[in-house]
């Protein structure tokens, strides 16, 4: 999952980014002014945008309006120090999905972020099950036939993304866009490397879970036919 | 004493006025009516007296003549409204003629005319004779006394008519006047308050409108206060003006509170997020150290902000410096410039002070130091990284001490200049801490200048840089 944080307080943005990366394995981009934020939000396929309202150059509500005008459905969480009821109503009525006021509790904030992402993939249950594989997106615990599988951060990120879109063909470009932040250095066969590592860890007998390669199109995760 | 209501005051005044007018008019009418009624009787008496005299002169004073003359003049026989007559000679004990028996009340009056009314010879006198039986009603009889010389004797002719009908009519008239006057006054008492209420309805209406106003809704364009009469227009526009000013003040205060809350919350939010992120999982010592340093920086920022807010609150509490002393402005500026130069030098910037002469102002030294510190701080912050900040104390004979703090920073848009002294205002609408302050430095500076009865202005253009000019009254 890839998140954009538009927040002019650089340290706050960094803290949020760190928390999202550490607890949710999200890829995070940070933008500290409104103009850059709007450009980023419109040009990348984010899974969630954390938006401050009072920003240099372009205000948060303006960014939100541009996004929704373009038909962009990305979940937006407004995180601001403006805490009056009118502000909250205006924020939600402008097309945001959630509204939090500063100072905030990091745990609650992270939980709201995960809930917004689940909802946008139409998976209200935090545990995604594919055959005997279960991926708990809230605790990041993956089990296969009741046995816990330990994954590296990038492997989990990839598995979670594929699992949320289980049954669909996911292209390599989509994976790159959703799992890596703007500054990540990717090399040409990075996806293949992570896919093959995942396959090894999931392939422990039948019936299992299969990550199939669809030539020229991408990958799909599905139950191994018995 | 509690002031009476306008309605009551006006009602009382109007009613008293109506009462006075009615009383005066009634009295005048009464007197006029009485005079005209008595005048009628007097005219009749004069005709009678002169007629009898003429008959006497012509026909002699035989008893028949006298009686015939009297009968001819009065027409009918003795009745209450008919005249009475008595003729006698001075010195003679018996009357020459008496029209009636001495028993009637009229005749009693004729037999004993009041001696003080006796006219001179050839003169006449007119008077009222009170009737003993009906005491208290004066002038029941109206009489005329003629004394004329006749054959070396003095003849007295006394003619009289009853005037009781006059007083009866006057009594009726008076009753009519009392009823009319009284009822008019009563109607006035009842109507005037209504009329006044009707006249004051606009005030009542405006009052009703004012009652609806709360501090959240002090002023609204085109509030439905309605049209008011010409007399109330100044009142209404003064009221509108006051509401507008109050509204602006409340809005400013609300904005200030919102801004202050935002400014206080933001560092809190950062500190909280830093600490919570640190606690999410076990970390290396270096990470904790970094987190502590971050929090310390945010605490510093918050401390500075709280200090500024308290300074503002203190400045707001009073209008004037409490214990002004003489302050050597040149020494103060020089020492400040030196201190800032030492600090700025580490970043390659410079602060230069020019002037030699002693300039004194009256004020609070701590506040003045704060004022120029804020200006220098701003100049260093918004000037170019290795720029020069010049502090000039103008040395010319003038009642003002003029200080100019100049930096080489870029131009500030002209439309933003007037707002620079607003609390929490920053040229960039964001509230980020990239440039440091919370936007209170210049607001505090302005408060201090105003307390010292001075003024402060700012000019900016891309060529000349930005200058803040402070003028303080010279000691």
């Amino acid at each position: 999952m890839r998140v954009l944080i538009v927040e002019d307080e650089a340290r706050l943005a960094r803290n949020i980014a760190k928390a999202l990366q550490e607890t949710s394995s999200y890829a995070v981009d940070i933008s500290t002014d409104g103009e850059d934020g709007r450009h980023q939000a419109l040009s990348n396929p984010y899974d969630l945008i954390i938006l401050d309202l009072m920003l240099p150059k372009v205000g948060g509500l303006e960014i939100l309006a541009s996004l929704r005008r373009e038909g962009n459905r990305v979940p937006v969480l407004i995180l601001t120090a403006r805490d009056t009821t009118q502000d909250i109503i205006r924020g939600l009525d402008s097309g945001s999905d959630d509204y939090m006021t500063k100072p905030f509790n990091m745990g609650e904030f992270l939980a709201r972020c995960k809930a917004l992402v689940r909802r946008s993939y139409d998976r209200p249950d935090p545990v995604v099950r594919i055959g005997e594989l279960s991926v708990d997106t809230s605790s990041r615990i993956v089990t296969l036939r009741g046995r816990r599988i330990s994954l590296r951060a990038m492997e989990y990120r990839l598995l979670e993304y594929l699992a949320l879109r289980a049954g669909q063909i996911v292209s390599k470009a989509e994976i790159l866009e959703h799992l890596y932040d703007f500054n990540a250095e990717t090399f040409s066969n990075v996806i293949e490397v992570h896919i093959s590592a995942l396959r090894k860890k999931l392939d422990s007998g039948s019936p299992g879970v299969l990550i199939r390669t669809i030539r020229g199109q991408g990958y799909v995760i599905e139950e191994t036919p018995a | 004493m509690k002031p009476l209501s306008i309605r009551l005051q006006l009602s009382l005044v109007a009613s008293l006025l109506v009462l006075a007018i009615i009383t005066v008019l009634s009295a005048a009418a009464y007197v006029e009516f009485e005079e005209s009624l008595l005048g009628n009787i007097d005219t009749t008496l004069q005709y009678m007296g002169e007629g009898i005299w003429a008959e006497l002169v012509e026909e002699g004073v035989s008893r028949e003549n006298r009686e015939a003359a009297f009968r001819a003049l009065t027409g009918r026989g003795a009745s209450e409204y008919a005249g009475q007559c008595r003729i006698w000679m001075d010195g003679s004990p018996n009357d020459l003629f008496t029209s009636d028996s001495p028993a009637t009340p009229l005749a009693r009056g004729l037999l004993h005319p009041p001696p003080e009314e006796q006219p001179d010879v050839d003169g006449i006198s007119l008077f009222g004779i009170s009737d003993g039986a009906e005491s208290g009603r004066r002038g029941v009889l109206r009489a005329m006394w003629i004394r004329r010389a006749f054959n070396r004797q003095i003849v007295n002719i006394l003619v009289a008519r009853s005037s009781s009908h006059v007083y009866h009519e006057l009594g009726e008239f008076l009753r009519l006047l009392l009823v009319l006057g009284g009822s008019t006054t009563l109607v006035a008492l009842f109507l005037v308050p209504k009329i006044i209420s009707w006249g004051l309805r606009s005030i009542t209406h405006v009052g009703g409108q004012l009652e609806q106003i709360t501090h959240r809704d002090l002023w609204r364009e085109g509030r439905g206060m309605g049209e008011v009469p010409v007399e109330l227009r100044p009142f209404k526009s003064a009221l509108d003006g006051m509401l507008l000013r109050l509204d602006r003040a409340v809005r400013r205060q609300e904005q200030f509170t919102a801004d202050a809350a935002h400014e206080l919350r933001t560092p809190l939010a950062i500190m909280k997020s830093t600490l919570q992120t640190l606690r999410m999982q076990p970390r290396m010592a270096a990470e904790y150290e970094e987190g502590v340093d971050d929090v310390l920086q945010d605490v510093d920022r918050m401390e500075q902000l709280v200090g500024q807010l308290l300074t503002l609150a203190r400045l707001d509490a009073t209008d004037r410096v409490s214990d002004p002393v003489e302050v050597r402005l040149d020494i103060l500026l020089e020492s400040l410039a030196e201190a800032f130069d030492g600090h700025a030098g580490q970043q390659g910037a410079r602060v230069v002070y020019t002037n030699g002469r002693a300039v004194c102002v009256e004020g609070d030294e701590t506040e003045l130091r704060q004022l120029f510190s804020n200006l220098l701080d701003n100049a260093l912050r918004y000037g170019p990284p290795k720029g020069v900040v010049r502090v000039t104390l103008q040395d010319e004979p003038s009642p003002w001490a003029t200080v100019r703090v100049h930096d080489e920073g870029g131009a500030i848009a002209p439309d933003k200049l007037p707002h620079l002294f607003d609390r929490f205002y920053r040229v960039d609408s964001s509230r980020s801490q990239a440039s440091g302050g919370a936007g209170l430095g210049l607001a505090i500076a302005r408060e201090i200048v105003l307390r010292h009865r001075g003024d402060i202005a700012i000019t900016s253009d891309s060529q000349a840089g930005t200058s803040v000019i402070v003028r303080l009254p010279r000691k």
Side-chain angles (χ1 to χ4, degrees):
Chain A
M1 296 301 125
R2 185 172 172 193
V3 180
L4 172 66
I5 299 171
V6 190
E7 165 66 63
D8 59 340
E9 294 289 349
R11 185 174 298 152
L12 183 63
R14 223 168 51 224
N15 285 337
I16 296 172
K18 193 170 177 185
L20 284 170
Q21 286 159 347
E22 286 180 355
T23 65
S24 312
S25 297
Y26 287 175
V28 182
D29 288 332
I30 294 177
S31 179
T32 53
D33 80 62
E35 206 171 271
D36 177 62
R38 179 165 63 185
H39 174 74
Q40 298 252 48
L42 288 170
S43 42
N44 298 311
Y46 289 104
D47 295 300
L48 175 65
I49 294 178
I50 312 297
L51 192 60
D52 188 12
L53 290 185
M54 283 194 259
L55 292 164
K57 296 176 192 163
V58 178
L61 288 180
E62 226 174 296
I63 296 175
L64 186 55
S66 331
L67 275 170
R68 297 306 185 221
R69 215 173 21 241
E70 303 239 322
N72 195 320
R73 296 164 55 92
V74 59
V76 172
L77 187 154
I78 291 178
L79 182 64
T80 176
R82 282 171 42 180
D83 68 337
T84 66
T85 312
Q86 291 103 298
D87 285 324
I88 298 174
I89 291 172
R90 197 183 310 132
L92 291 170
D93 278 350
S94 303
S96 82
D97 299 89
D98 204 349
Y99 194 107
M100 280 187 87
T101 56
K102 298 175 192 169
F104 58 96
N105 182 290
M106 190 60 88
E108 181 188 343
F109 168 77
L110 293 170
R112 282 177 189 268
C113 288
K114 283 183 279 192
L116 285 171
V117 170
R118 279 202 304 273
R119 198 42 84 172
S120 74
Y121 280 93
D122 205 15
R123 296 238 177 223
D125 186 350
V127 183
V128 182
R129 290 184 185 82
I130 303 151
E132 291 190 65
L133 174 76
S134 87
V135 180
D136 186 336
T137 57
S138 58
S139 61
R140 289 187 298 156
I141 292 173
V142 179
T143 54
L144 184 62
R145 284 191 289 276
R147 269 195 318 114
R148 185 165 169 176
I149 297 174
S150 104
L151 296 175
R152 291 164 66 193
M154 207 51 227
E155 291 163 358
Y156 174 79
R157 214 185 270 187
L158 177 57
L159 177 62
E160 186 192 76
Y161 186 62
L162 290 174
L164 282 173
R165 299 188 59 182
Q168 300 171 25
I169 299 167
V170 182
S171 74
K172 215 169 120 178
E174 279 178 303
I175 293 172
L176 282 169
E177 277 175 345
H178 281 271
L179 303 194
Y180 289 91
D181 61 59
F182 192 72
N183 298 316
E185 305 242 338
T186 51
F187 46 95
S188 60
N189 61 345
V190 64
I191 304 297
E192 283 87 343
V193 171
H194 289 304
I195 292 278
S196 98
L198 260 185
R199 275 181 179 146
K200 255 178 222 154
K201 289 185 178 178
L202 296 178
D203 179 30
S204 50
S206 180
V209 173
L210 181 66
I211 299 174
R212 270 206 298 141
T213 306
I214 316 284
R215 191 169 292 275
Q217 294 184 59
Y219 303 95
V220 63
I221 190 166
E222 56 193 14
E223 228 176 309
T224 319
Chain B
M1 198 179 106
K2 215 173 124 193
L4 291 170
S5 81
I6 294 180
R7 214 172 79 143
L8 192 58
Q9 288 179 37
L10 288 179
S11 302
L12 278 177
V13 169
S15 301
L16 284 176
L17 208 62
V18 167
L19 192 63
I21 290 170
I22 286 174
T23 308
V24 168
L25 285 178
S26 302
Y30 183 86
V31 168
E32 192 69 23
F33 190 48
E34 183 181 31
E35 266 175 20
S36 92
L37 284 176
L38 289 180
N40 280 346
I41 295 181
D42 291 350
T43 312
T44 313
L45 287 175
Q46 207 159 350
Y47 278 128
M48 281 168 66
E50 293 295 339
I52 290 168
W53 172 250
E55 289 288 328
L56 283 179
V57 170
E58 214 164 288
E59 307 288 342
V61 290
S62 76
R63 183 179 169 80
E64 293 73 28
N65 281 345
R66 292 189 301 269
E67 199 156 330
F70 174 69
R71 297 271 174 255
L73 281 167
T74 57
R76 291 180 293 125
S79 78
E80 204 192 336
Y81 293 103
Q84 302 293 329
C85 173
R86 181 183 161 217
I87 304 167
W88 75 96
M89 297 288 190
D90 271 8
S92 155
N94 296 317
D95 287 350
L96 294 174
F97 170 76
T98 305
S99 64
D100 211 342
S101 72
T104 64
L106 270 174
R108 275 206 304 279
L110 283 182
L111 285 173
H112 309 286
E116 70 272 11
E117 299 287 355
Q118 178 180 320
D120 300 329
V121 178
D122 285 343
I124 56 169
S125 78
L126 282 159
F127 54 93
I129 299 170
S130 142
D131 182 343
E134 296 174 68
S135 60
R137 287 185 64 187
R138 61 191 178 80
V140 167
L141 207 62
R142 189 73 182 164
M144 188 173 75
W145 191 341
I146 304 176
R147 294 182 79 205
R148 296 259 161 91
F150 180 68
N151 292 345
R152 280 184 298 282
Q153 276 188 298
I154 306 290
V155 178
N156 290 279
I157 302 170
L158 190 63
V159 285
R161 280 174 75 98
S162 166
S163 61
S164 60
H165 68 284
V166 168
Y167 292 99
H168 180 73
E169 276 176 40
L170 279 174
E172 292 282 314
F173 185 57
L174 188 64
R175 266 198 293 285
L176 182 72
L177 286 179
L178 280 177
V179 169
L180 275 179
S183 49
T184 311
T185 310
L186 280 178
V187 168
L189 268 173
F190 175 75
L191 272 184
V192 166
K194 305 253 174 234
I195 292 169
I196 290 165
S197 293
W198 180 76
L200 294 181
R201 69 196 187 288
S202 308
I203 295 182
T204 320
H205 178 66
V206 171
Q209 296 280 334
L210 291 181
E211 241 169 44
Q212 311 288 321
I213 296 174
T214 64
H215 75 287
R216 302 229 134 270
D217 178 33
L218 280 170
W219 197 82
R220 208 181 326 126
E221 187 77 53
R223 185 193 291 284
M225 228 186 253
E227 276 303 302
V228 295
V230 180
E231 292 83 355
L232 284 184
R233 267 177 216 161
F235 177 67
K236 183 179 182 264
S237 70
L239 210 57
D240 277 345
M242 183 190 76
L243 286 172
L244 185 60
R245 284 194 302 278
L246 276 176
D247 186 63
R248 286 199 185 129
V250 168
R251 270 172 216 281
R252 259 203 309 278
Q253 194 58 42
E254 280 175 353
Q255 185 59 47
F256 176 74
T257 313
D259 289 343
H262 181 274
E263 289 299 324
L264 288 168
R265 276 208 191 96
T266 304
L268 262 183
I270 300 173
M271 285 187 261
K272 197 170 169 180
S273 71
T274 306
L275 294 173
Q276 286 184 330
T277 310
L278 274 182
R279 280 300 299 273
M280 278 188 317
Q281 59 189 61
R283 298 190 187 276
M284 317 279 276
E287 279 184 277
Y288 284 119
E289 272 171 31
E290 197 188 326
V292 169
D293 288 346
D294 283 354
V295 171
L296 279 177
Q297 270 185 37
D298 289 320
V299 169
D300 280 347
R301 169 179 163 188
M302 208 156 168
E303 193 181 342
Q304 192 197 348
L305 175 66
V306 169
Q308 285 183 322
L309 286 174
L310 287 178
T311 302
L312 267 180
R314 246 194 323 269
L315 294 177
D316 281 343
T318 54
D319 280 351
R320 298 273 171 244
V321 177
S322 50
D323 295 308
V325 292
E326 205 167 280
V327 179
R328 279 281 300 273
L329 203 55
D330 53 320
I331 296 177
L332 189 148
L333 287 172
E334 193 165 10
S335 70
L336 267 181
E338 216 168 276
F340 271 83
D341 189 48
H343 189 67
Q346 296 165 12
Q347 274 95 46
R350 286 190 59 212
V351 179
V352 180
Y353 170 70
T354 43
N355 176 50
R357 301 270 178 85
V359 174
C360 277
V361 293
E362 202 169 57
D364 183 311
E365 185 164 359
T366 316
E367 286 184 16
L368 289 173
R369 191 172 284 276
Q370 166 108 62
L371 157 67
F372 292 110
S373 295
N374 284 4
L375 297 185
L376 283 170
D377 198 46
N378 260 16
L380 284 170
R381 185 172 295 157
Y382 296 107
K386 290 190 192 306
V388 179
V389 172
R390 286 178 200 284
V391 184
T392 322
L393 178 55
Q394 244 152 42
D395 184 26
E396 46 192 58
S398 143
W400 297 95
T402 307
V403 182
R404 177 187 295 264
V405 178
H406 172 263
D407 67 65
E408 296 161 335
I412 302 164
D415 60 316
K416 300 199 162 156
L417 284 178
H419 297 292
L420 288 174
F421 297 104
D422 291 353
R423 293 176 183 189
F424 291 117
Y425 184 82
R426 278 188 298 224
V427 174
D428 193 330
S429 65
S430 94
R431 297 236 150 269
S432 83
Q433 293 294 299
S435 53
L440 289 175
L442 281 179
I444 290 172
R446 188 185 67 162
E447 290 300 327
I448 294 174
V449 169
L450 292 182
R451 286 159 67 79
H452 286 80
R453 297 160 205 256
D455 55 45
I456 187 166
I458 190 160
T459 61
S460 181
D461 75 74
S462 52
Q463 299 297 310
T466 303
S467 283
V468 181
I469 298 126
V470 173
R471 296 200 309 157
L472 296 168
R474 212 161 165 163
K475 174 75 180 158

